Amino acid sequence: MPASREIRLAARPTGEPTLTDFELVATQVPDTVADGQVLVRNTWMSVDPYMRGRMDDVPSYIPPFELGAPLEGSAVGEVVASGSADVPVGATVTHFAGWREYAVLDAAAVTVVDTSLAPASAFLGPLGTTGLTAYAALTRTAPVKEGDVVFVSAAAGAVGSVAGQVARALGASRVIGSAGGPAKTKKLLDTFGYDAAIDYRQGGLPEQLAEAAPDGIDVYVDHVGGDHLQAAIGAIRPQGRIALVGAISTYNATTPAPGPDNLFQAAKQEATLRGMLVSSHFDLFPEWIGKAAGMFADGTLRTEETVVDGIERAPEAFLGVLRGANTGKMLVRLDGQAT
Ligand SMILES: NC(=O)c1ccc[n+]([C@@H]2O[C@H](COP(=O)([O-])OP(=O)(O)OC[C@H]3O[C@@H](n4cnc5c(N)ncnc54)[C@H](OP(=O)(O)O)[C@@H]3O)[C@@H](O)[C@H]2O)c1
């Protein structure tokens, strides 16, 4: 039986998680599977900020993680044993049983991906739910119109680095991103196609946004909440649209985070603030994959990965994504041979 390892939640974090909230556990997996099941050797796993919410024992749109149980999340891997003609041995698949080296899954719970379109890891990033989040936010939740000025926060991160380029492709006339620190703001301009970059760690976010968008913004993709949402509402133009995608500045908060105090500005501008969950937009996947694969192949969609090697370092990668250690998609490579 192959030996496997998995990461379990050892304790519910208070505030910022620590490495002691996680434990690495050795397990064994069967080398044969029942009819209708597959055994997958995971090669890459996704590390996502929303997982912080599942570590708290509170009701949400997805159940909390159980203490002592393996964590879960998006992963990609190779099928090494199969009881399904639809998912043969050797196929590359995505699924939701990450945070472990091997996973036994129902064949219906995996999706075979075409690695001739892009490397396997891209199906956790631009060609996965990460890219789809950006696309759905900018086509459905806060649709971009020709000539719009678009602002994106956490713009050097996984969703944000794609969002700026999607906004441009949808006809935005000016795309502004915010990120933490000079290396990331340079990356926004040099690599991810932003016209202007704000380093929010320098302070003066409303003033920096006013300088970058003197006539205001039409669309804001909010990944941060708090000060960023407040600044965006302050800059929103009439009939502006704000997609509430994430609020990472609040995820480790131990007391309720203050909300924006300028909401009436949104009323005066007849702006729309609308939340979104990518899981409600999976019907857009074929459309997005079609567009993204073309952009990825011809180099018009530029993406980056921050890769941490080894399942034993997955908790470190998770702490890192909350602190901004990543540029582009934060990934853990589970197989040193994977490319
Ligand atoms: N609604 C949905 O379905 C959905 C789907 C995917 C993601 N999301 C949300 O979208 C956001 C981005 O997700 P992602 O996977 O692409 O992560 P990411 O942007 O790759 O990583 C998170 C980034 O947040 C930034 N950050 C951390 N604390 C911050 C703070 N206090 N103020 C400003 N920025 C801060 C860091 O970048 P800096 O170094 O620039 O600070 C960090 O790199 C998250 O809020 C996530 O929960 C929502």
Side-chain angles (χ1 to χ4, degrees):
M1 285 202 285
S4 182
R5 294 178 299 168
E6 63 189 28
I7 301 287
R8 297 182 183 172
L9 186 64
R12 297 203 184 279
T14 304
E16 186 176 1
T18 64
L19 293 177
T20 55
D21 296 327
F22 304 87
E23 62 178 336
L24 177 68
V25 177
T27 61
Q28 291 214 307
V29 289
D31 49 14
T32 57
V33 288
D35 269 0
Q37 289 193 320
V38 291
L39 174 63
V40 179
R41 183 177 61 84
N42 287 336
T43 49
W44 296 90
M45 55 167 264
S46 176
V47 180
D48 296 278
Y50 81 89
M51 293 183 63
R52 175 64 187 86
R54 293 192 71 187
M55 292 173 188
D56 295 334
D57 191 13
V58 293
S60 186
Y61 61 94
I62 186 167
F65 291 123
E66 285 177 35
L67 279 179
L71 297 176
E72 59 180 25
S74 298
V76 64
E78 184 194 351
V79 175
V80 292
S82 177
S84 163
D86 296 335
V87 188
V89 169
T92 301
V93 294
T94 56
H95 57 82
F96 205 57
W99 295 79
R100 65 204 80 183
E101 291 176 310
Y102 285 84
V104 178
L105 290 146
D106 287 341
V110 308
T111 303
V112 177
V113 296
D114 180 358
T115 52
S116 70
L117 295 176
S121 60
F123 290 89
L124 299 178
L127 272 59
T129 53
T130 295
L132 183 67
T133 302
Y135 187 64
L138 290 162
T139 55
R140 284 185 171 165
T141 315
V144 172
K145 298 180 188 151
E146 195 72 31
D148 277 350
V149 176
V150 177
F151 175 43
V152 179
S153 55
V159 179
S161 58
V162 175
Q165 298 173 80
V166 169
R168 170 87 65 216
L170 291 169
S173 62
R174 186 166 171 76
V175 186
I176 300 153
S178 76
K184 287 194 179 183
T185 49
K186 186 171 184 324
K187 186 76 72 177
L188 295 185
L189 301 173
D190 295 350
T191 306
F192 297 140
Y194 282 88
D195 298 299
I198 292 169
D199 179 357
Y200 72 86
R201 290 195 188 146
Q202 296 292 321
L205 185 57
E207 293 77 16
Q208 289 197 66
L209 184 55
E211 195 176 323
D215 299 322
I217 60 173
D218 300 290
V219 168
Y220 170 53
V221 181
D222 189 21
H223 294 129
V224 170
D227 57 348
H228 276 78
L229 181 55
Q230 169 123 0
I233 291 172
I236 203 78
R237 290 212 281 225
Q239 278 74 49
R241 285 137 273 141
I242 294 178
L244 304 173
V245 177
I248 197 165
S249 68
T250 69
Y251 291 174
N252 287 327
T254 50
T255 54
D261 64 14
N262 58 348
L263 270 176
F264 190 59
Q265 183 65 17
K268 285 191 288 189
Q269 299 292 62
E270 299 189 301
T272 304
L273 283 72
R274 187 168 178 190
M276 71 88 73
L277 294 174
V278 67
S279 50
S280 297
H281 300 278
F282 283 166
D283 60 299
L284 275 181
F285 241 132
E287 180 181 317
W288 167 242
I289 295 266
K291 287 179 195 291
M295 290 168 75
F296 196 77
D298 71 16
T300 49
L301 179 59
R302 299 186 65 188
T303 61
E304 288 206 3
E305 296 174 342
T306 299
V307 176
V308 171
D309 274 300
I311 193 157
E312 65 279 8
R313 293 183 61 205
E316 176 190 327
F318 179 66
L319 270 49
V321 81
L322 293 177
R323 290 180 189 154
N326 60 308
T327 300
K329 180 72 189 169
M330 179 66 102
L331 293 169
V332 176
R333 181 164 40 199
L334 299 175
D335 170 359
Q337 306 305 310
T339 53

